[in-house]
Amino acid sequence: MQNLILASSSPRRKELLENLHLTFAIISSEVDESFDPELSPEDVVMELAERKAQVVFNENQDAYVIGSDTIVALNNRILGKPADEAEAVQMLTSLSGQKHDVFTGVSIVSPTSTTRFYEKTEVWFWELTDEEIKTYVQSGEPLDKAGAYGIQQLGSMLVKKINGDYFAVVGLPVARTIRELKKAGYQLPY
């Protein structure tokens, strides 16, 4: 039996893998998430995803470890998780009526290989009123999410349209991840 580990405490990533009927463990990886501001958004998410996966793999060298990271970029300016409600309001105000990009990086570290990739999804927001932003921020939902929103819950009301992988915006591009796991030698149960 091959061990599969998700190196994330994200309930969203956990749910996405559970939807695929995979058996896996969760081991959260505490890593330094600082990055070189000169790096492109795609390089940032792949580097952070690999850091997370590698830390867990170092303690579980017989496993296939999935690390992932998601960021939002508006005009190539990276928006991470807001520090507080005021920063969440700022971020959402800047995203209002705009197209932005969501980058999700994935790294799969196994006994035989390390793979990393990213998916980029374009997201357009509706024009948001101050009241809509305030109400959403007061829900608490934006405070632990890149760009101060989650597409799968209340934040879905902010999104006008997307171009790309919806699941990557949620936090894990599942179809690509499964294909890369298979390439790395992981035996799927189906």
Side-chain angles (χ1 to χ4, degrees):
M1 177 80 171
Q2 295 172 302
N3 292 330
L4 181 63
I5 298 173
L6 176 62
S8 172
S9 59
S10 164
R12 296 162 293 279
R13 291 185 181 111
K14 175 182 181 271
E15 182 180 356
L16 290 174
L17 279 184
E18 286 173 343
N19 290 344
L20 298 173
H21 304 287
L22 295 176
T23 302
F24 61 96
I26 294 174
I27 301 176
S28 181
S29 55
E30 299 300 320
V31 298
D32 174 13
E33 293 195 24
S34 61
F35 55 86
D36 179 347
E38 298 298 313
L39 289 177
S40 66
E42 48 268 52
D43 286 334
V44 169
V45 291
M46 288 190 297
E47 181 180 305
L48 293 176
E50 189 170 335
R51 272 188 220 165
K52 293 173 182 180
Q54 192 64 56
V55 164
V56 172
F57 180 78
N58 290 345
E59 300 297 322
N60 300 275
Q61 296 193 2
D62 63 338
Y64 288 77
V65 179
I66 301 170
S68 186
D69 194 75
T70 302
I71 59 170
V72 170
L74 177 63
N75 302 321
N76 266 344
R77 185 173 60 90
I78 294 174
L79 306 177
K81 295 176 186 174
D84 53 30
E85 287 187 0
E87 190 174 18
V89 167
Q90 246 179 358
M91 286 183 186
L92 292 167
T93 301
S94 70
L95 294 172
S96 176
Q98 301 293 316
K99 176 190 82 75
H100 61 275
D101 299 312
V102 177
F103 294 87
T104 295
V106 177
S107 179
I108 300 168
V109 181
S110 74
T112 58
S113 66
T114 296
T115 303
R116 57 188 234 173
F117 62 91
Y118 74 94
E119 291 292 329
K120 173 185 168 185
T121 303
E122 298 172 319
V123 180
W124 286 260
F125 266 20
W126 290 99
E127 283 286 342
L128 306 175
T129 66
D130 291 344
E131 187 60 32
E132 287 173 315
I133 291 171
K134 179 182 167 193
T135 300
Y136 181 56
V137 170
Q138 287 176 343
S139 76
E141 187 178 292
L143 297 180
D144 71 336
K145 295 172 181 66
Y149 78 96
I151 195 170
Q152 71 282 4
Q153 295 171 316
L154 291 173
S156 63
M157 297 185 295
L158 313 175
V159 177
K160 186 173 186 177
K161 67 179 181 175
I162 72 167
N163 179 26
D165 187 337
Y166 166 82
F167 298 106
V169 180
V170 176
L172 188 68
V174 291
R176 176 91 184 264
T177 301
I178 287 300
R179 283 161 177 75
E180 296 295 340
L181 269 172
K182 284 169 60 174
K183 278 188 205 172
Y186 185 77
Q187 309 253 322
L188 294 170
Y190 36 78

